[in-house]
Amino acid sequence: QVQLVESGGGLAQPGGSLRLSCTASGSTLEYYDIAWFRQAPGKEREGVSRISKSDGTTYYADSVKGRFTISRDNAKNTVYLQMNSLKPEDTGVYYCAAGILVLGGAVASEYDLWGQGTQVTVSS
């Protein structure tokens, strides 16, 4: 059974940085498109970023473009989300998700596997 596990969340000050990691057990992430989603209290889940399995093409939501960077290390079976210049509105639970038939962007319905999430809080 494939399981995704996120780590690296925590408390950061505005302007600070965090790096989230998504690792998998039971499968190899290189066969999947991987996306990061986030959900703030009282808000819908939002697609933040995606990296394709084929050529590493990336997608970023406008709200994080220029601040977040997604990358993958297939040798470590891990996908990262480097988050810089954090803002209070980046606060939420961040989930990684894996999908095989992904058309583009970060649409939750296209992803089959989900992690349990990691809390990111940006506050002074």
Side-chain angles (χ1 to χ4, degrees), residues 5 19 21 24 27 30 50 63 67 81 85 96 100 110 115:
V5 178
R19 189 177 77 161
S21 299
S27 185
E30 66 179 309
R50 174 192 61 84
S63 57
R67 300 188 297 121
L81 185 68
S85 302
C96 71
I100 294 178
E110 295 180 347

Side-chain angles (χ1 to χ4, degrees), residues 35-37 45-50 59 97 99 101-112 114:
W36 287 95
F37 294 81
R45 192 168 296 189
E46 172 191 17
V48 173
S49 184
R50 174 192 61 84
Y59 158 85
L101 297 176
V102 174
L103 298 180
V107 179
S109 60
E110 295 180 347
Y111 292 83
D112 312 297
W114 291 81

